Amino acid sequence: MNRIYMDNAATTALRREVLDAMLPYMLDTYGNPSSIHAYGRDAKLAVDAARRQAAAVINASPDELYFTGGGTEADNMAIKGMAARLSGRGKHIITTAVEHHAVLHTCQQLERRGYEVTYLPVDEFGRITAKQVEDALRPDTILVSVMYANNEVGTVMPIADIGSVCRAHNVIFHTDAVQAVCHIPIDVKAECIDLLSMSAHKFHGPKGVGALYIRKGVALEPLLVGGAQERRRRAGTENVPGIVGMGAAAELAHSGMERDSELVRALRDRLTRGILERIPHVKLNGHPVERLPGNVNVSIQYIEGEAMLLMLDINGIAASSGSACTSGSLDPSHVLLAMGLPHEIAHGSLRLTLSEYNTESEVDRVIEVLEKAVDRLRAMSPIYNNQ
Ligand SMILES: *Cc1c(COP(=O)(O)O)cnc(C)c1O
């Protein structure tokens, strides 16, 4: 049986060309970029080239990009780094109720350390407005952190508007753009972004490497101290093969972004339409228009999302309910609850996330399998049969 991968919000397949770019830095060019000899200089050149490649996709200058051990670390570094740096000025942070746990749990940890956090509520589509941010600002607000696009429902936030509000009030603006980078256009300058998190494995790069963009002139406390790597902002010998892979993945994904996103959007719409037309009592979650090209998130009434995942898995289809970080727990997704979905509907939610490696025939097969699986599960469901 051919397997079908539709869990690209959790992680993506490594591109063949990315692996090819990485291999020499695992085998031959293994020097430490801090060393002054030829081995070290070659590694340093590769890291610098990758920094240019990754910075270009968000219109940053290379010296504004700092490599990290992934998106989670970039989020922690941005939020804790600003909190520590500006604690003398204030201890109030504004974020949203639908952030990734890398942001939410960081904010909750800061609350235990005496900071105050406002979690802005979202509308039925998972969006906030710039006005909500403006109204929540206080004299002691030191940071606003709003995700670029949601990892569960794919909703894209009005980032440029939020950026303008923050800039006008002289408050630092961080965005977790892990789901957006290399999928939709981003311009940190035009959108007034001060800090931005990205992660390579969400755009066909390797796992365990990411970056934090820090606008020139913004100062923050480092999360990790030790050596002078990453201009003293992130100590530790660089993950050279990973960084090279991130650079290559960024360049390849960004250069093909327009074509690929159109392709993925067409697949997404075919999948959404198929599900909504063939299966009764299904609702699309997330924004109908302001939405990531590859995200389909549906609530299938009278069904447990976990049961659905197992049925799909038996048929070789990889999907997710809510976020991968919460699978294993049966709590409904905090994102869907924040959007106002009742518990029982949130429980029956299914996320299918596509990439340009998916095909129309895969989409059609998923619709067919899903329709049959829903029929079988509903036939066993006392609630469905009593409705
Ligand atoms: C995947 C993801 C992260 C975490 O990135 P890692 O590189 O896996 O640590 C953070 N935020 C969002 C929105 C994500 O989708």
Side-chain angles (χ1 to χ4, degrees):
M1 176 175 54
N2 273 341
R3 287 204 197 168
I4 299 177
Y5 187 75
M6 289 201 183
D7 200 11
N8 287 278
T11 195
T12 59
L14 189 76
R15 240 181 228 273
R16 181 82 229 179
E17 303 99 294
V18 171
L19 178 67
D20 291 342
M22 291 170 71
L23 281 176
Y25 295 91
M26 291 176 147
L27 287 169
D28 312 314
T29 314
Y30 51 78
N32 185 323
S34 300
S35 301
I36 57 163
H37 47 62
Y39 289 81
R41 289 198 306 275
D42 286 350
K44 172 105 174 44
L45 283 176
V47 169
D48 289 345
R51 201 184 306 283
R52 285 193 294 276
Q53 290 171 310
V57 308
I58 54 166
N59 192 31
S61 1
D63 61 355
E64 293 175 310
L65 209 74
Y66 298 83
F67 289 113
T68 66
T72 300
E73 189 191 321
D75 285 339
N76 273 261
M77 181 175 169
I79 297 168
K80 288 178 189 164
M82 283 322 305
R85 176 79 190 188
L86 297 179
S87 62
R89 220 177 80 187
K91 290 194 158 188
H92 179 234
I93 295 168
I94 298 170
T95 187
T96 80
V98 296
E99 298 296 310
H100 188 274
H101 285 132
V103 167
L104 278 186
H105 291 167
T106 300
C107 288
Q108 286 161 10
Q109 195 181 47
L110 286 174
E111 284 184 285
R112 294 193 291 274
R113 295 178 187 170
Y115 290 80
E116 218 185 305
V117 182
T118 299
Y119 300 92
L120 295 174
V122 295
D123 66 13
E124 58 180 316
F125 304 118
R127 263 190 139 211
I128 63 155
T129 63
K131 173 81 166 42
Q132 277 177 281
V133 173
E134 188 156 39
D135 292 345
L137 286 172
R138 309 190 322 206
D140 61 339
T141 304
I142 50 171
L143 177 70
V144 170
S145 181
V146 177
M147 70 200 318
Y148 208 109
N150 189 273
N151 47 298
E152 292 189 33
V153 295
T155 299
V156 179
M157 295 285 195
I159 291 299
D161 297 343
I162 299 167
S164 310
V165 162
C166 293
R167 191 60 55 86
H169 290 84
N170 212 9
V171 173
I172 298 289
F173 176 41
H174 166 249
T175 184
D176 173 345
V178 171
Q179 287 292 332
V181 170
C182 290
H183 297 286
I184 53 177
I186 298 179
D187 183 329
V188 289
K189 295 198 169 73
E191 295 167 75
C192 299
I193 297 165
D194 298 306
L195 303 162
L196 177 147
S197 305
M198 55 167 110
S199 176
H201 76 98
K202 301 291 174 76
F203 49 85
H204 304 297
K207 293 165 183 64
V209 58
L212 180 65
Y213 153 80
I214 308 176
R215 184 171 63 79
K216 216 169 291 173
V218 172
L220 53 66
E221 285 293 316
L223 198 60
L224 299 180
V225 293
Q229 292 91 353
E230 296 299 286
R231 287 141 293 149
R232 298 193 178 277
R233 283 183 153 166
R234 202 276 188 178
T237 300
E238 298 86 342
N239 170 7
V240 178
I243 289 170
V244 167
M246 177 165 177
E251 184 164 303
L252 287 163
H254 194 245
S255 67
M257 190 172 79
E258 216 171 303
R259 186 197 57 230
D260 288 341
S261 65
E262 209 161 303
L263 205 127
V264 173
R265 206 171 271 122
L267 292 174
R268 176 198 69 186
D269 293 344
R270 185 183 182 96
L271 181 58
T272 308
R273 219 178 315 116
I275 293 173
L276 295 178
E277 281 173 10
R278 302 258 293 265
I279 307 172
H281 310 293
V282 174
K283 174 184 169 298
L284 179 70
N285 296 315
H287 202 281
V289 182
E290 299 297 333
R291 180 182 200 97
L292 287 173
N295 178 289
V296 176
N297 187 309
V298 286
S299 285
I300 305 175
Q301 250 183 294
Y302 314 111
I303 294 232
E304 286 288 336
E306 304 298 315
M308 176 71 51
L309 283 191
L310 288 178
M311 295 275 254
L312 291 176
D313 187 39
I314 288 167
N315 285 282
I317 298 165
S320 155
S321 70
S323 72
C325 319
T326 51
S327 61
S329 90
L330 280 173
D331 289 338
S333 131
H334 68 284
V335 175
L336 296 175
L337 294 182
M339 288 161 56
L341 266 73
H343 268 250
E344 66 276 15
I345 306 281
H347 262 305
S349 88
L350 179 71
R351 181 184 74 179
L352 296 154
T353 43
L354 303 151
S355 87
E356 63 275 24
Y357 296 150
N358 289 118
T359 61
E360 278 192 359
S361 64
E362 286 182 338
V363 165
D364 295 345
R365 162 115 182 107
V366 168
I367 297 168
E368 194 188 301
V369 169
L370 196 59
E371 187 183 15
K372 287 204 185 101
V374 170
D375 275 351
R376 277 187 60 189
L377 288 171
R378 281 182 177 161
M380 298 187 283
S381 158
I383 332 163
Y384 184 69
N385 294 312
N386 289 335
Q387 59 153 324

